[in-house]
Amino acid sequence: MKSRDADILIVPGLGGSGPEHWQTRWEAKLSAARRVVQADWDHPDRDVWVAQILLAIDAAEKPVVLVAHSLGVVAAVFALRTAAPRRVAGAFLVAPPEEARVAGIPEVSANFRPYPREPLPCTAMLVASSDDPYCSLPAAAAMAEAWGATLLDAGAARHINSESGHGPWPEGLMSFAGFLSKL
């Protein structure tokens, strides 16, 4: 699949991925990409976030590919439990946080936990860093295994966001293109 053959839904995490974040840059670069907008980026509630993702999936005219980061990964995984599998062709999941880390963030509603542990109904790739302060690589590998996702070790890349130096993140875009080509 090529990017023009899909509706690419960008699913940011806590804070909404600012202007220098790779998700914002990909959204501007990929004509088929659009952001799933949340009413409150700073006090996320799982049910509200999932509802917005499902609305975006339902509005899509082409097969959907989710591109989620951090807490957006968790929301996307919850949404995929509800979304019609035929509507979502793939999920590119980057830097999910561990449950224990999410539990320690008072702004995040408790209904984000526990994480689903069932295989996802679509092809998925989980990209994780070996030194992410929000998730160890073994924890990310366990999530990938539970969700039936291919794990891509991004090396020492921290949380794979603008603060860790991943503004445009060209390596990630190349990995995403490879992921798309297999859908």
Side-chain angles (χ1 to χ4, degrees), residues 2-155:
K2 296 189 183 300
S3 64
R4 69 175 176 264
D5 300 326
D7 279 327
I8 300 169
L9 300 181
I10 305 290
V11 184
L14 183 65
S17 297
E20 297 304 314
H21 196 283
W22 60 267
Q23 282 188 307
T24 303
R25 291 172 183 230
W26 289 14
E27 180 184 3
K29 184 178 183 97
L30 302 171
S31 62
R34 72 180 194 282
R35 180 178 301 247
V36 176
V37 177
Q38 300 294 347
D40 191 343
W41 291 113
D42 298 320
H43 299 90
D45 178 270
R46 183 194 79 197
D47 296 336
V48 174
W49 278 32
V50 166
Q52 286 302 110
I53 295 168
L54 293 174
L55 284 172
I57 290 170
D58 288 344
E61 297 177 3
K62 299 175 187 171
V64 170
V65 177
L66 299 173
V67 177
H69 179 259
S70 195
L71 193 62
V73 170
V74 182
V77 168
F78 274 108
L80 285 168
R81 295 175 66 197
T82 307
R86 63 178 174 73
R87 303 273 304 158
V88 181
F92 191 76
L93 311 171
V94 181
E98 290 184 45
E99 280 185 57
R101 291 297 308 225
V102 171
I105 303 171
E107 295 82 10
V108 177
S109 73
N111 63 1
F112 273 94
R113 302 177 322 275
Y115 291 0
R117 296 291 183 206
E118 301 83 23
L120 299 176
C122 63
T123 302
M125 176 176 281
L126 191 151
V127 182
S129 169
S130 62
D131 63 351
D132 188 334
Y134 299 103
C135 186
S136 69
L137 193 56
M143 284 184 255
E145 183 177 350
W147 297 335
T150 301
L151 178 66
L152 176 61
D153 180 349

Side-chain angles (χ1 to χ4, degrees), residues 148-163:
T150 301
L151 178 66
L152 176 61
D153 180 349
R158 308 274 306 146
H159 194 52
I160 312 177
N161 57 10
S162 52
E163 288 80 19

Side-chain angles (χ1 to χ4, degrees), residues 1-4 6 8 30 65 92 175-183:
M1 172 182 293
K2 296 189 183 300
S3 64
R4 69 175 176 264
I8 300 169
L30 302 171
V65 177
F92 191 76
S175 296
F176 179 63
F179 173 73
L180 276 178
S181 74
K182 294 177 181 154
L183 297 180

